[in-house]
Amino acid sequence: SSDLEDTLSGLRKKEMSDAQNFAMLEQGLNDEIKHQGQEMDRAKNAKSEAEGAQATAEGELMEANKAIADDQKTLKDLQHDA
């Protein structure tokens, strides 16, 4: 009877230890998932900001190219008139 009680006690202790280890592992994984979600949000925000900056730069480039074309036309007209 004592051997059975010892075995049962040992199994209960192992079960409690396994349950605690599982709970710690589960918490660690949940924390990592949360952290990765935050990293994903930061990356999405950075991408959005970069896309906005690119659109602004492309608009400025178009304006600069138009100004160059206008200046070249004015120069050509002046050279033609001279």
Side-chain angles (χ1 to χ4, degrees):
S1 173
S2 179
D3 286 343
L4 290 175
E5 289 173 357
D6 289 346
T7 300
L8 181 58
S9 176
L11 290 172
R12 286 182 177 154
K13 287 179 184 176
K14 182 176 178 350
E15 183 180 17
M16 281 180 47
S17 175
D18 289 349
Q20 289 173 341
N21 289 340
F22 175 81
M24 289 174 51
L25 177 62
E26 181 182 35
Q27 183 63 49
L29 292 172
N30 286 333
D31 290 346
E32 183 64 22
I33 289 168
K34 181 180 176 183
H35 174 72
Q36 292 299 322
Q38 293 169 342
E39 287 294 313
M40 175 88 73
D41 290 343
R42 280 193 280 276
K44 286 179 181 178
N45 287 338
K47 179 184 178 203
S48 178
E49 288 176 13
E51 288 171 344
Q54 180 182 2
T56 298
E58 287 172 351
E60 291 172 353
L61 178 61
M62 284 178 47
E63 288 177 22
N65 285 336
K66 184 182 180 310
I68 289 170
D70 290 346
D71 290 346
Q72 287 174 339
K73 182 182 181 308
T74 300
L75 178 60
K76 188 175 181 183
D77 290 345
L78 288 173
Q79 289 173 339
H80 185 280
D81 290 345

